Amino acid sequence: MLDHTDMLILDELSKNSRLTMKELGEKVHLTGPAVSTRVAKLEDSGVIEGYTVKVNQVKLGCPIHAFITIFTQSTYHQPYLAFIKTEEQHIIHNYKISGEGCYLLECRFPSNEVLNHFLTALNEHANYKLSIVIDK
Amino acid sequence: MLDHTDMLILDELSKNSRLTMKELGEKVHLTGPAVSTRVAKLEDSGVIEGYTVKVNQVKLGCPIHAFITIFTQSTYHQPYLAFIKTEEQHIIHNYKISGEGCYLLECRFPSNEVLNHFLTALNEHANYKLSIVIDK
DNA sequence: TTGTTTGACTTTATTAATGAAAGGAGTTTG
DNA sequence: CAAACTCCTTTCATTAATAAAGTCAAACAA
């Protein structure tokens, strides 16, 4: 199981996953090799699923961040699921949910024009409610 | 501005941000020092905001993933905002939104008991609609 | 108590990566 | 054309990662 030091390691890596093992070791009061074997165990056990980068999407030309609650028109979800597979460049997550709607779709768009086009196409497979993120 | 190589770099780092500059260089057909200066520029310009780790929350004992649409009872949001500041351990994001509700709250909980307790406390400051994530 | 095993760590030494400096090729600018 | 600039490669000194060996303390059995 995970002890306090493992939690500290996860905490430091979530703040900066490019720390060297030496730097990480200093932060959690271990040597490089010791912290390195702990990190390897966290990876092997699946607690650490991977390492990624936080990218500023606005600077990349994708300022519109939307959540779309999906109501599929029939009990047959396949047309909707096939549709979003064709729109992967806009989709961050497609959560299957219980509660209001069948899915909650998190997306990014470069402009209202592109969003509008997306919604028109989406509407052939599902009804929706749109929420635009104003601030995080 | 960003060219094709920069996009490749962001793509590779989002798949694995712990690549060495040498490995990253091989993937985008550059030498270590060349890719290193490009990454430094992406950091300085704010395109890269940071590096983080993907943690399996289920293995960490937090299997319940919820989206909560918030309807504050008055136009005065402060009591709600103050409340969620006291519940930071459960909150992943608090998005201010346009559309249905005032905020969309993304949270994690270890159990239904804890979620229930959270909702009861939340209800003193706001109404809500709850969606539980079943699958990603 | 004594000896053995186990697990987690440190130390050491080798291998590999980083980062700074120098230099070259291609492009832009006066 | 020449100067300046950008972006890259090469080289080398410094620093980190990794594998192997050794240390230490806790748990357990005789």
Side-chain angles (χ1 to χ4, degrees):
Chain A
M1 261 318 294
L2 302 193
D3 64 10
H4 179 65
T5 302
D6 289 320
M7 296 306 291
L8 280 178
I9 289 170
L10 293 177
D11 202 52
E12 291 299 335
L13 286 178
S14 70
K15 284 189 269 181
N16 180 9
S17 67
R18 279 195 70 87
L19 285 173
T20 64
M21 288 300 135
K22 189 158 176 277
E23 291 167 330
L24 182 57
E26 282 163 15
K27 286 181 186 285
V28 304
H29 309 298
L30 284 176
T31 58
V35 85
S36 182
T37 60
R38 273 179 180 260
V39 169
K41 280 182 190 172
L42 290 169
E43 290 169 352
D44 293 344
S45 68
V47 171
I48 291 178
E49 294 179 335
Y51 303 94
T52 191
V53 64
K54 282 183 277 185
V55 173
N56 186 321
Q57 293 293 333
V58 175
K59 297 203 175 180
L60 241 68
C62 255
I64 300 173
H65 186 192
F67 283 91
I68 307 177
T69 307
I70 302 294
F71 304 83
T72 55
Q73 283 158 350
S74 71
T75 55
Y76 185 53
H77 294 181
Q78 213 50 51
Y80 162 73
L81 294 171
F83 167 70
I84 63 164
K85 264 227 166 77
T86 69
E87 301 285 331
E88 276 186 335
Q89 73 273 27
H90 297 128
I91 289 163
I92 305 169
H93 294 295
N94 178 44
Y95 299 106
K96 180 182 271 190
I97 57 173
S98 87
E100 198 187 34
C102 305
Y103 297 94
L104 184 64
L105 198 54
E106 184 179 359
C107 324
R108 280 269 172 199
F109 299 96
S111 68
N112 277 329
E113 285 68 33
V114 176
L115 170 56
N116 184 37
H117 182 265
F118 176 86
L119 292 175
T120 305
L122 171 63
N123 214 357
E124 291 185 16
H125 309 100
N127 288 315
Y128 62 83
K129 273 190 192 171
L130 174 64
S131 294
I132 304 281
V133 175
I134 304 301
D135 194 17
K136 215 204 85 155
Chain B
M1 260 320 294
L2 302 193
D3 64 10
H4 179 65
T5 303
D6 289 320
M7 296 305 289
L8 280 179
I9 289 170
L10 293 177
D11 202 52
E12 291 298 335
L13 286 178
S14 70
K15 284 189 269 181
N16 181 10
S17 67
R18 279 195 71 85
L19 286 173
T20 65
M21 289 300 133
K22 191 159 175 276
E23 291 166 330
L24 181 57
E26 282 163 15
K27 285 181 187 285
V28 304
H29 309 297
L30 284 177
T31 57
V35 84
S36 182
T37 61
R38 273 178 181 261
V39 169
K41 279 182 189 170
L42 290 169
E43 290 170 353
D44 293 345
S45 68
V47 172
I48 289 178
E49 294 179 334
Y51 303 94
T52 190
V53 64
K54 282 183 276 184
V55 173
N56 186 320
Q57 292 295 331
V58 175
K59 296 203 177 182
L60 242 68
C62 256
I64 299 174
H65 185 192
F67 283 91
I68 307 177
T69 308
I70 302 293
F71 305 82
T72 55
Q73 283 158 350
S74 72
T75 55
Y76 185 53
H77 294 182
Q78 213 49 53
Y80 162 74
L81 293 171
F83 167 70
I84 63 164
K85 262 227 167 75
T86 68
E87 300 284 331
E88 277 186 335
Q89 74 274 25
H90 297 128
I91 290 163
I92 304 169
H93 295 296
N94 179 43
Y95 299 106
K96 180 182 272 190
I97 56 173
S98 87
E100 198 187 35
C102 305
Y103 297 95
L104 183 64
L105 197 53
E106 183 180 0
C107 325
R108 280 267 171 200
F109 298 96
S111 66
N112 277 328
E113 286 68 33
V114 176
L115 169 56
N116 184 36
H117 182 265
F118 176 86
L119 292 175
T120 304
L122 171 63
N123 213 358
E124 291 183 17
H125 309 98
N127 289 316
Y128 62 83
K129 272 191 195 170
L130 174 64
S131 294
I132 304 280
V133 175
I134 304 301
D135 194 17
K136 217 205 85 158

